[in-house]
Amino acid sequence: MPLRASTRRAGRPRHVRSVRLSLVAALLLPGAAVAASAQTAPGAGELRAIADGIDRPAVGAVVPWSSPLEVGRARITPGAGASARMLVAEGKPVGLLLDGQATVAYRVEDRFSIPVATHNLRRASGITVDPAAGTLTVTIPVTGAAVWGWDLREAVAAPAAPAGGGLPDWLTRILDGRLDANPARDLMLAAANGDDGYRWAVFHGTRDDFLLDVDPRPVARAEHLARFMEVTRDAGPYAGRLIPEEMAAQPAGRAWWEPAAVEFLATDTDLAARNEQGEHLEVTSRTRLESLRDGLRLLTFALTDELLDPHLKLRSYRIGRLTVDGQPARYLHRTDSLLVELPRALRKGESVLLEVSVQGDVLIRPEGSNYWRLGNFAWYPRPFGGGREWSEFRIRADVAAPFVPFGPGETLERSATRESNHVATRLKGPMEGAFLLAGKYTTQRVSARDAHVDVSSYAMPKKAEAERLGNIVLAVRSCLESWTGVPYPFPDLQVIEVNDWGWGQAPPGFVFITQEAFLTPARARLDSVDDYAPSITDAEVFTRGVNERVAHEIAHGWFPHVAKVSRAEENWLSESLAEYSSAYCLQQAMGDKRQGRFFFDRQLATWNLWSSSAVEGASIYLAGHLANTEKDAASWRYLLYGRGPLAVHAIRKELVRTKGEKEGEAMFLSWLRSYVKSFTYKPAETRHLIGILNQISGQNWQPFFERHVYGPEGLKID
Ligand SMILES: [Zn+2]
């Protein structure tokens, strides 16, 4: 399973258009919690002991070590005088501790991974990088290494002998500092579910220390090399802790575009959220889980266990009760991970009901605003690793007055007492990542023909602005419905103003959009005395492009909520297709053809600029595998919101060039229509998009995608 660095990236708010850039900023955001908590929770007894034993193994007998040790695509060659000892957990060999001089040679062999790794590895110290013969070889001289794995032949073959000594200081420092659920989590999953081959290794280099995660299990089939990076001092309790910064990622035993397996689904999710006072939240989730394979015994979920608040204080979020089919079950909740042990192994097609109650003071209001929002952190157990949410949701919320709660989907009932406000909603599936929000809002319904949208403005009513927004929503919705032939999945959409600047987000049933969307130029001037408005100039600048941003969020209804996207690498199918299709629809919606043309050309200029601004070596498909710098984070945006839509436009231009204006345009439209129709509420992948294009055009588009989407070659369109 990917390292924390890549799961963090994959887990960043998917539809946030303008993500905060620096790592520190990311850590300061409520919801970006990364933590290793050592506290004991009831019901977690034995699993915690097993995990601790793996994370802090005992040092066992000396193991003969003279020939190189292979760990994924790494070869560890012992130097003169190097020795090895067994690592022992639960009385079983769990790995090898290598002491003394050795050389790690790591091969980056995947041709799409090489350019990204070449870029990332410039950040690493104490290594040499040798690009030769289609393989990038990273050489790391080390003075120590440790490799975890249940089925390491070398460790298993060692004679049983008494333990000797403790872990070396360099390793203790890494294990103490690491903000990561591994090695314990994936080793426990591998053991319980009967999967072989997982390896977790750390290399003590002369400058940087490195982490190698080799995961051949069907749910991952990937390996990641990272360097450990210290969290900066201004991150409060996390200062000095270690996070992995990705250096190289490669598929294992597959091509990048081939998917990994899914082991289980959450098919029905009931969420009851209660806020009696202040920042306290209590959530009870009831989730129906269906196994897609035989022998599934241990399941993994994302579930936050602590949050960093704006004052750099930790807020804990703890499980009170957890049952499987009504019976208490063993679990382990730490480092944003929940492991649940089922009473028996499931066969394919069998299901269980997981019920979890969790609570904490986690309703943090951004900058003391009059709202809170749940969804950017795992506020209920969300299937992780080999699990997917593929769920219908029923959500109930009771919230202390005067805040009013909003849930996704159809509102079944709304009621109020003097103390609290209540809402119950139902969101048709398959959906994932439910959000919940409450605050001081004024809601206004905008209708057209048989469609409507509820627009809620923060604090005060903003009638004209809400109407303008509602009309953009309905126009883009109607354009995409007739283009794709698939109805918008959220007939009860709620557009909600967020008291912040510069982003939008479209989880199921909602469009969250920051306050500049609610500013007309006139109101921008009126509001300039407001503390939250950075300045009158900024507010006016922000107001430009708001229509495009709202349209983009509506297009997310199809990309990815209809044509599902289930892997970080495939995320461009969500962002780039939403970006392109919304720009297309806005142009269509403009009555004046010249004005529409002007608008589209302006978009094109922006896409060109962004596409050329991405760092060298970065590709649309592997944008999530860049390192952790601000430039890398910006490149992620440039690729998904710039080069991605540009690639779509290049295809359209080429179809028009080779087939003529009329047929080319028709082919282009039918390409995206077929994609949405064929993958309505199904997982879609880039290879499917290519297959449909090949079929419709009678051309071979694989080379184009290998250059510009899977690969790092830029695009420029006049
Ligand atoms: Zn988006």
Side-chain angles (χ1 to χ4, degrees), residues 299-586:
L299 306 180
T300 180
F301 301 84
L303 181 64
T304 290
D305 63 328
E306 58 187 35
L307 283 179
L308 198 56
D309 74 16
H311 307 290
L312 302 179
K313 293 275 186 304
L314 289 175
R315 308 288 189 90
S316 65
Y317 195 50
R318 294 270 180 264
I319 292 176
R321 180 180 152 81
L322 183 149
T323 63
V324 173
D325 286 339
Q327 298 300 312
R330 298 204 305 175
Y331 67 89
L332 178 61
H333 181 209
R334 63 179 183 185
T335 328
D336 288 349
S337 271
L338 171 66
L339 288 173
V340 177
E341 189 185 67
L342 304 178
R344 63 191 165 82
L346 294 186
R347 298 187 65 84
K348 188 176 175 179
E350 284 186 309
S351 78
V352 290
L353 183 68
L354 173 69
E355 193 165 344
V356 181
S357 294
V358 54
Q359 57 176 308
D361 292 334
V362 294
L363 299 178
I364 299 164
R365 303 179 195 180
E367 320 234 2
S369 302
N370 283 317
Y371 76 97
W372 47 256
R373 203 165 67 105
L374 297 172
N376 281 339
F377 69 90
W379 61 286
Y380 64 93
R382 296 206 293 228
F384 182 74
R388 293 271 181 285
E389 278 188 289
W390 198 260
S391 201
E392 167 159 324
F393 288 86
R394 277 164 303 276
I395 297 180
R396 282 173 294 133
D398 286 284
V399 167
F403 280 16
V404 176
F406 297 87
E410 181 191 359
T411 299
L412 302 177
E413 61 175 68
R414 216 174 238 300
S415 59
T417 65
R418 256 180 44 162
E419 294 79 31
S420 71
N421 289 310
H422 168 83
V423 72
T425 67
R426 172 171 170 267
L427 178 69
K428 276 195 194 160
M431 289 294 157
E432 61 170 23
F435 273 61
L436 182 67
L437 166 136
K440 289 187 178 171
Y441 279 93
T442 308
T443 301
Q444 184 184 332
R445 175 159 290 198
V446 181
S447 304
R449 292 195 302 275
D450 50 352
H452 64 263
V453 53
D454 288 334
V455 182
S456 298
S457 53
Y458 180 64
M460 59 178 157
K462 297 171 187 169
K463 196 166 183 304
E465 291 82 354
E467 210 152 278
R468 180 175 55 82
L469 278 181
N471 287 330
I472 298 168
V473 168
L474 294 171
V476 174
R477 181 182 149 168
S478 136
C479 166
L480 271 159
E481 283 187 336
S482 67
W483 181 353
T484 64
V486 176
Y488 188 59
F490 312 117
D492 299 288
L493 178 74
Q494 304 182 65
V495 175
I496 295 189
E497 180 182 9
V498 177
N499 191 22
D500 195 358
W501 296 101
W503 55 268
Q505 192 176 15
F510 286 116
V511 165
F512 297 110
I513 191 96
T514 47
Q515 56 191 314
E516 68 278 9
F518 286 78
L519 295 179
T520 55
R523 189 179 293 275
R525 258 165 239 123
L526 281 177
D527 282 2
S528 63
V529 290
D530 186 330
D531 285 344
Y532 296 117
S535 74
I536 182 168
T537 327
D538 284 353
E540 283 178 348
V541 170
F542 278 132
T543 310
R544 260 191 48 198
V546 155
N547 294 1
E548 292 91 314
R549 295 228 316 269
V550 173
H552 171 102
E553 302 307 334
I554 296 306
H556 274 315
W558 287 267
F559 316 101
H561 294 311
V562 168
K564 299 290 187 185
V565 172
S566 49
R567 291 189 287 144
E569 289 84 18
E570 299 284 353
N571 206 15
W572 83 285
L573 293 176
S574 165
E575 295 303 345
S576 307
L577 294 184
E579 185 69 13
Y580 193 87
S581 62
S582 59
Y584 179 91
C585 281
L586 276 185

